[in-house]
Amino acid sequence: MAQVTFKNGPVTLVGNEVKVGDQAPDFTVLANDLSPVTLNDSEGKIRLFSVVPSLDTGVCDAQTRRFNEEAANLGDNVVIYTVSVDLPFAQKRWCGAAGIDAVQTVSDHRDLSFGEAYGVYIQELRLLTRAVFVVDANNKVTYVEYVPEATDHPNYEAAIAAVKALA
């Protein structure tokens, strides 16, 4: 299992660590209108999953804005999701205030389905750790980053390069 810290303290990740080459695990999260979202909803497209603890924090805010900006250069065959345990209503409000329109925020608050399937659920905090996953059109994982310190930024350039390599 990936080893991460949160504010320099060790935390326990629950679920299965995902590795490059794995079939992407399915999950059920909630869109901002409370409708279910699964991996198959974007089948046939390249997916980037940007996982954050909470949109209401500085690094998570910056990460989501960065991937929103990058989305304009990635084409229509790429879907970017930001996954957190924030409530769908809070995600919708935040996106409206931040002008986020190219990234789809989804909430894992109900079942922690994504968190457990991708091994990003922090047991001690009931939050998701910071991570990035790229999944190709055939549901194969092609890029994985579990950020070692959850309050640090991911490697944006590497994640975008992984998406562009598939496009």
Side-chain angles (χ1 to χ4, degrees):
M1 187 52 121
Q3 300 295 311
V4 301
T5 58
F6 190 90
K7 295 185 177 178
N8 298 315
V11 293
T12 307
L13 296 182
V14 176
N16 302 307
E17 182 176 357
V18 173
K19 295 183 167 76
V20 170
D22 288 352
Q23 272 301 114
D26 198 9
F27 56 84
T28 301
V29 292
L30 297 176
N32 292 170
D33 65 0
L34 301 178
S35 64
V37 176
T38 68
L39 181 68
N40 292 333
D41 290 339
S42 55
E43 191 170 25
K45 295 198 178 258
I46 299 162
R47 278 74 45 101
L48 184 147
F49 294 98
S50 170
V51 186
V52 301
S54 176
L55 290 170
D56 285 324
T57 63
V59 177
C60 300
D61 176 294
Q63 181 174 331
T64 304
R65 289 175 190 268
R66 173 72 183 269
F67 284 127
N68 190 67
E69 290 168 13
E70 295 285 354
N73 303 317
L74 297 176
D76 294 339
N77 199 39
V78 176
V79 179
I80 300 177
Y81 293 98
T82 293
V83 186
S84 74
V85 293
D86 295 309
L87 293 175
F89 314 112
Q91 290 179 336
K92 184 176 182 179
R93 183 192 72 244
W94 182 88
C95 286
I100 301 299
D101 56 3
V103 168
Q104 183 178 352
T105 56
V106 292
S107 175
D108 200 21
H109 87 95
R110 186 175 63 189
D111 300 323
L112 296 165
S113 172
F114 187 96
E116 291 184 5
Y118 287 74
V120 293
Y121 165 44
I122 300 173
Q123 184 175 29
E124 295 85 351
L125 302 172
R126 201 177 193 285
L127 295 173
L128 304 181
T129 195
R130 189 172 318 283
V132 179
F133 303 94
V134 176
V135 176
D136 72 10
N138 298 312
N139 294 339
K140 183 176 152 196
V141 177
T142 64
Y143 176 84
V144 173
E145 180 186 11
Y146 289 90
V147 179
E149 166 53 49
T151 60
D152 289 344
H153 288 270
N155 185 335
Y156 299 110
E157 292 77 18
I160 296 303
V163 170
K164 287 181 176 178
L166 296 172

PDB file of all heavy atoms in Angstrom, residues 139-161:
ATOM      1  N   ASN A 139     -10.100   1.512 -20.131  1.00  0.00           N
ATOM      2  CA  ASN A 139     -10.116   1.346 -18.672  1.00  0.00           C
ATOM      3  C   ASN A 139      -8.817   0.789 -18.095  1.00  0.00           C
ATOM      4  O   ASN A 139      -8.822   0.196 -17.019  1.00  0.00           O
ATOM      5  CB  ASN A 139     -11.304   0.495 -18.214  1.00  0.00           C
ATOM      6  CG  ASN A 139     -12.621   1.185 -18.469  1.00  0.00           C
ATOM      7  OD1 ASN A 139     -12.680   2.407 -18.620  1.00  0.00           O
ATOM      8  ND2 ASN A 139     -13.681   0.416 -18.520  1.00  0.00           N
ATOM      9  N   LYS A 140      -7.705   0.999 -18.776  1.00  0.00           N
ATOM     10  CA  LYS A 140      -6.402   0.596 -18.255  1.00  0.00           C
ATOM     11  C   LYS A 140      -5.749   1.807 -17.582  1.00  0.00           C
ATOM     12  O   LYS A 140      -5.744   2.912 -18.132  1.00  0.00           O
ATOM     13  CB  LYS A 140      -5.504   0.079 -19.381  1.00  0.00           C
ATOM     14  CG  LYS A 140      -4.154  -0.418 -18.899  1.00  0.00           C
ATOM     15  CD  LYS A 140      -3.376  -1.003 -20.071  1.00  0.00           C
ATOM     16  CE  LYS A 140      -1.901  -0.871 -19.820  1.00  0.00           C
ATOM     17  NZ  LYS A 140      -1.122  -1.050 -21.033  1.00  0.00           N
ATOM     18  N   VAL A 141      -5.212   1.594 -16.393  1.00  0.00           N
ATOM     19  CA  VAL A 141      -4.529   2.668 -15.666  1.00  0.00           C
ATOM     20  C   VAL A 141      -3.155   2.884 -16.302  1.00  0.00           C
ATOM     21  O   VAL A 141      -2.366   1.938 -16.420  1.00  0.00           O
ATOM     22  CB  VAL A 141      -4.385   2.306 -14.170  1.00  0.00           C
ATOM     23  CG1 VAL A 141      -3.621   3.393 -13.428  1.00  0.00           C
ATOM     24  CG2 VAL A 141      -5.754   2.078 -13.541  1.00  0.00           C
ATOM     25  N   THR A 142      -2.878   4.116 -16.722  1.00  0.00           N
ATOM     26  CA  THR A 142      -1.606   4.416 -17.391  1.00  0.00           C
ATOM     27  C   THR A 142      -0.715   5.349 -16.585  1.00  0.00           C
ATOM     28  O   THR A 142       0.449   5.517 -16.933  1.00  0.00           O
ATOM     29  CB  THR A 142      -1.846   5.035 -18.773  1.00  0.00           C
ATOM     30  OG1 THR A 142      -2.511   6.293 -18.617  1.00  0.00           O
ATOM     31  CG2 THR A 142      -2.684   4.105 -19.661  1.00  0.00           C
ATOM     32  N   TYR A 143      -1.257   5.955 -15.535  1.00  0.00           N
ATOM     33  CA  TYR A 143      -0.459   6.867 -14.704  1.00  0.00           C
ATOM     34  C   TYR A 143      -1.043   6.862 -13.306  1.00  0.00           C
ATOM     35  O   TYR A 143      -2.274   6.910 -13.140  1.00  0.00           O
ATOM     36  CB  TYR A 143      -0.498   8.293 -15.273  1.00  0.00           C
ATOM     37  CG  TYR A 143       0.228   9.311 -14.427  1.00  0.00           C
ATOM     38  CD1 TYR A 143       1.601   9.497 -14.548  1.00  0.00           C
ATOM     39  CD2 TYR A 143      -0.449  10.073 -13.477  1.00  0.00           C
ATOM     40  CE1 TYR A 143       2.282  10.423 -13.762  1.00  0.00           C
ATOM     41  CE2 TYR A 143       0.217  10.997 -12.690  1.00  0.00           C
ATOM     42  CZ  TYR A 143       1.577  11.169 -12.840  1.00  0.00           C
ATOM     43  OH  TYR A 143       2.244  12.081 -12.058  1.00  0.00           O
ATOM     44  N   VAL A 144      -0.160   6.814 -12.311  1.00  0.00           N
ATOM     45  CA  VAL A 144      -0.580   6.847 -10.905  1.00  0.00           C
ATOM     46  C   VAL A 144       0.382   7.723 -10.128  1.00  0.00           C
ATOM     47  O   VAL A 144       1.603   7.587 -10.266  1.00  0.00           O
ATOM     48  CB  VAL A 144      -0.559   5.425 -10.283  1.00  0.00           C
ATOM     49  CG1 VAL A 144      -0.817   5.484  -8.783  1.00  0.00           C
ATOM     50  CG2 VAL A 144      -1.561   4.511 -10.963  1.00  0.00           C
ATOM     51  N   GLU A 145      -0.161   8.619  -9.318  1.00  0.00           N
ATOM     52  CA  GLU A 145       0.648   9.361  -8.347  1.00  0.00           C
ATOM     53  C   GLU A 145      -0.123   9.451  -7.036  1.00  0.00           C
ATOM     54  O   GLU A 145      -1.166  10.093  -6.973  1.00  0.00           O
ATOM     55  CB  GLU A 145       0.994  10.772  -8.824  1.00  0.00           C
ATOM     56  CG  GLU A 145       1.828  11.526  -7.804  1.00  0.00           C
ATOM     57  CD  GLU A 145       2.096  12.980  -8.135  1.00  0.00           C
ATOM     58  OE1 GLU A 145       1.473  13.517  -9.078  1.00  0.00           O
ATOM     59  OE2 GLU A 145       2.922  13.594  -7.430  1.00  0.00           O
ATOM     60  N   TYR A 146       0.393   8.783  -6.022  1.00  0.00           N
ATOM     61  CA  TYR A 146      -0.075   8.987  -4.657  1.00  0.00           C
ATOM     62  C   TYR A 146       0.894  10.027  -4.083  1.00  0.00           C
ATOM     63  O   TYR A 146       2.069   9.713  -3.886  1.00  0.00           O
ATOM     64  CB  TYR A 146       0.008   7.697  -3.831  1.00  0.00           C
ATOM     65  CG  TYR A 146      -0.997   6.638  -4.222  1.00  0.00           C
ATOM     66  CD1 TYR A 146      -0.696   5.684  -5.184  1.00  0.00           C
ATOM     67  CD2 TYR A 146      -2.244   6.578  -3.609  1.00  0.00           C
ATOM     68  CE1 TYR A 146      -1.604   4.696  -5.537  1.00  0.00           C
ATOM     69  CE2 TYR A 146      -3.161   5.598  -3.958  1.00  0.00           C
ATOM     70  CZ  TYR A 146      -2.840   4.662  -4.920  1.00  0.00           C
ATOM     71  OH  TYR A 146      -3.753   3.689  -5.264  1.00  0.00           O
ATOM     72  N   VAL A 147       0.435  11.249  -3.862  1.00  0.00           N
ATOM     73  CA  VAL A 147       1.330  12.303  -3.389  1.00  0.00           C
ATOM     74  C   VAL A 147       1.777  11.940  -1.973  1.00  0.00           C
ATOM     75  O   VAL A 147       0.939  11.733  -1.093  1.00  0.00           O
ATOM     76  CB  VAL A 147       0.630  13.676  -3.442  1.00  0.00           C
ATOM     77  CG1 VAL A 147       1.553  14.768  -2.940  1.00  0.00           C
ATOM     78  CG2 VAL A 147       0.161  13.978  -4.876  1.00  0.00           C
ATOM     79  N   PRO A 148       3.101  11.839  -1.740  1.00  0.00           N
ATOM     80  CA  PRO A 148       3.600  11.341  -0.447  1.00  0.00           C
ATOM     81  C   PRO A 148       3.136  12.151   0.768  1.00  0.00           C
ATOM     82  O   PRO A 148       2.869  11.590   1.810  1.00  0.00           O
ATOM     83  CB  PRO A 148       5.119  11.404  -0.598  1.00  0.00           C
ATOM     84  CG  PRO A 148       5.357  11.356  -2.073  1.00  0.00           C
ATOM     85  CD  PRO A 148       4.189  12.051  -2.697  1.00  0.00           C
ATOM     86  N   GLU A 149       3.050  13.463   0.624  1.00  0.00           N
ATOM     87  CA  GLU A 149       2.537  14.333   1.690  1.00  0.00           C
ATOM     88  C   GLU A 149       1.251  14.951   1.150  1.00  0.00           C
ATOM     89  O   GLU A 149       1.287  15.720   0.180  1.00  0.00           O
ATOM     90  CB  GLU A 149       3.555  15.414   2.069  1.00  0.00           C
ATOM     91  CG  GLU A 149       3.014  16.558   2.906  1.00  0.00           C
ATOM     92  CD  GLU A 149       2.276  16.145   4.178  1.00  0.00           C
ATOM     93  OE1 GLU A 149       2.793  15.325   4.951  1.00  0.00           O
ATOM     94  OE2 GLU A 149       1.153  16.657   4.397  1.00  0.00           O
ATOM     95  N   ALA A 150       0.124  14.610   1.762  1.00  0.00           N
ATOM     96  CA  ALA A 150      -1.187  14.981   1.225  1.00  0.00           C
ATOM     97  C   ALA A 150      -1.413  16.479   1.108  1.00  0.00           C
ATOM     98  O   ALA A 150      -2.299  16.911   0.379  1.00  0.00           O
ATOM     99  CB  ALA A 150      -2.295  14.354   2.062  1.00  0.00           C
ATOM    100  N   THR A 151      -0.613  17.286   1.793  1.00  0.00           N
ATOM    101  CA  THR A 151      -0.798  18.735   1.689  1.00  0.00           C
ATOM    102  C   THR A 151       0.090  19.350   0.597  1.00  0.00           C
ATOM    103  O   THR A 151       0.064  20.561   0.403  1.00  0.00           O
ATOM    104  CB  THR A 151      -0.529  19.420   3.044  1.00  0.00           C
ATOM    105  OG1 THR A 151       0.818  19.156   3.440  1.00  0.00           O
ATOM    106  CG2 THR A 151      -1.501  18.921   4.104  1.00  0.00           C
ATOM    107  N   ASP A 152       0.861  18.525  -0.123  1.00  0.00           N
ATOM    108  CA  ASP A 152       1.702  19.006  -1.225  1.00  0.00           C
ATOM    109  C   ASP A 152       0.962  18.900  -2.552  1.00  0.00           C
ATOM    110  O   ASP A 152      -0.005  18.150  -2.682  1.00  0.00           O
ATOM    111  CB  ASP A 152       2.990  18.173  -1.319  1.00  0.00           C
ATOM    112  CG  ASP A 152       3.946  18.436  -0.166  1.00  0.00           C
ATOM    113  OD1 ASP A 152       3.783  19.453   0.549  1.00  0.00           O
ATOM    114  OD2 ASP A 152       4.856  17.604   0.023  1.00  0.00           O
ATOM    115  N   HIS A 153       1.469  19.627  -3.545  1.00  0.00           N
ATOM    116  CA  HIS A 153       0.907  19.568  -4.898  1.00  0.00           C
ATOM    117  C   HIS A 153       1.341  18.281  -5.601  1.00  0.00           C
ATOM    118  O   HIS A 153       2.433  17.771  -5.351  1.00  0.00           O
ATOM    119  CB  HIS A 153       1.382  20.763  -5.733  1.00  0.00           C
ATOM    120  CG  HIS A 153       0.769  22.056  -5.329  1.00  0.00           C
ATOM    121  ND1 HIS A 153      -0.390  22.524  -5.877  1.00  0.00           N
ATOM    122  CD2 HIS A 153       1.156  22.978  -4.416  1.00  0.00           C
ATOM    123  CE1 HIS A 153      -0.701  23.693  -5.324  1.00  0.00           C
ATOM    124  NE2 HIS A 153       0.221  23.984  -4.435  1.00  0.00           N
ATOM    125  N   PRO A 154       0.497  17.787  -6.525  1.00  0.00           N
ATOM    126  CA  PRO A 154       0.921  16.659  -7.357  1.00  0.00           C
ATOM    127  C   PRO A 154       1.867  17.158  -8.449  1.00  0.00           C
ATOM    128  O   PRO A 154       2.072  18.366  -8.611  1.00  0.00           O
ATOM    129  CB  PRO A 154      -0.399  16.161  -7.959  1.00  0.00           C
ATOM    130  CG  PRO A 154      -1.229  17.404  -8.070  1.00  0.00           C
ATOM    131  CD  PRO A 154      -0.867  18.227  -6.854  1.00  0.00           C
ATOM    132  N   ASN A 155       2.384  16.227  -9.235  1.00  0.00           N
ATOM    133  CA  ASN A 155       3.232  16.568 -10.376  1.00  0.00           C
ATOM    134  C   ASN A 155       2.313  16.828 -11.577  1.00  0.00           C
ATOM    135  O   ASN A 155       1.980  15.910 -12.327  1.00  0.00           O
ATOM    136  CB  ASN A 155       4.200  15.421 -10.653  1.00  0.00           C
ATOM    137  CG  ASN A 155       5.195  15.763 -11.738  1.00  0.00           C
ATOM    138  OD1 ASN A 155       4.942  16.607 -12.593  1.00  0.00           O
ATOM    139  ND2 ASN A 155       6.321  15.094 -11.722  1.00  0.00           N
ATOM    140  N   TYR A 156       1.898  18.079 -11.726  1.00  0.00           N
ATOM    141  CA  TYR A 156       0.944  18.440 -12.789  1.00  0.00           C
ATOM    142  C   TYR A 156       1.482  18.092 -14.171  1.00  0.00           C
ATOM    143  O   TYR A 156       0.765  17.557 -15.015  1.00  0.00           O
ATOM    144  CB  TYR A 156       0.625  19.939 -12.738  1.00  0.00           C
ATOM    145  CG  TYR A 156      -0.010  20.391 -11.452  1.00  0.00           C
ATOM    146  CD1 TYR A 156       0.696  21.183 -10.555  1.00  0.00           C
ATOM    147  CD2 TYR A 156      -1.311  20.040 -11.133  1.00  0.00           C
ATOM    148  CE1 TYR A 156       0.119  21.610  -9.369  1.00  0.00           C
ATOM    149  CE2 TYR A 156      -1.903  20.459  -9.946  1.00  0.00           C
ATOM    150  CZ  TYR A 156      -1.178  21.248  -9.073  1.00  0.00           C
ATOM    151  OH  TYR A 156      -1.753  21.663  -7.904  1.00  0.00           O
ATOM    152  N   GLU A 157       2.754  18.424 -14.411  1.00  0.00           N
ATOM    153  CA  GLU A 157       3.339  18.219 -15.734  1.00  0.00           C
ATOM    154  C   GLU A 157       3.326  16.740 -16.124  1.00  0.00           C
ATOM    155  O   GLU A 157       3.002  16.402 -17.260  1.00  0.00           O
ATOM    156  CB  GLU A 157       4.761  18.785 -15.785  1.00  0.00           C
ATOM    157  CG  GLU A 157       4.829  20.300 -15.691  1.00  0.00           C
ATOM    158  CD  GLU A 157       4.627  20.864 -14.276  1.00  0.00           C
ATOM    159  OE1 GLU A 157       4.757  20.096 -13.284  1.00  0.00           O
ATOM    160  OE2 GLU A 157       4.313  22.063 -14.164  1.00  0.00           O
ATOM    161  N   ALA A 158       3.688  15.858 -15.187  1.00  0.00           N
ATOM    162  CA  ALA A 158       3.711  14.423 -15.483  1.00  0.00           C
ATOM    163  C   ALA A 158       2.303  13.897 -15.768  1.00  0.00           C
ATOM    164  O   ALA A 158       2.109  13.082 -16.682  1.00  0.00           O
ATOM    165  CB  ALA A 158       4.354  13.649 -14.339  1.00  0.00           C
ATOM    166  N   ALA A 159       1.325  14.355 -15.002  1.00  0.00           N
ATOM    167  CA  ALA A 159      -0.055  13.903 -15.210  1.00  0.00           C
ATOM    168  C   ALA A 159      -0.580  14.358 -16.578  1.00  0.00           C
ATOM    169  O   ALA A 159      -1.181  13.555 -17.319  1.00  0.00           O
ATOM    170  CB  ALA A 159      -0.957  14.428 -14.099  1.00  0.00           C
ATOM    171  N   ILE A 160      -0.342  15.597 -16.939  1.00  0.00           N
ATOM    172  CA  ILE A 160      -0.792  16.113 -18.232  1.00  0.00           C
ATOM    173  C   ILE A 160      -0.068  15.406 -19.372  1.00  0.00           C
ATOM    174  O   ILE A 160      -0.665  15.068 -20.390  1.00  0.00           O
ATOM    175  CB  ILE A 160      -0.614  17.650 -18.297  1.00  0.00           C
ATOM    176  CG1 ILE A 160      -1.518  18.329 -17.262  1.00  0.00           C
ATOM    177  CG2 ILE A 160      -0.895  18.177 -19.696  1.00  0.00           C
ATOM    178  CD1 ILE A 160      -3.002  18.021 -17.377  1.00  0.00           C
ATOM    179  N   ALA A 161       1.226  15.154 -19.198  1.00  0.00           N
ATOM    180  CA  ALA A 161       1.988  14.424 -20.218  1.00  0.00           C
ATOM    181  C   ALA A 161       1.413  13.021 -20.413  1.00  0.00           C
ATOM    182  O   ALA A 161       1.339  12.528 -21.547  1.00  0.00           O
ATOM    183  CB  ALA A 161       3.465  14.361 -19.841  1.00  0.00           C
TER     184      ALA A 161
END
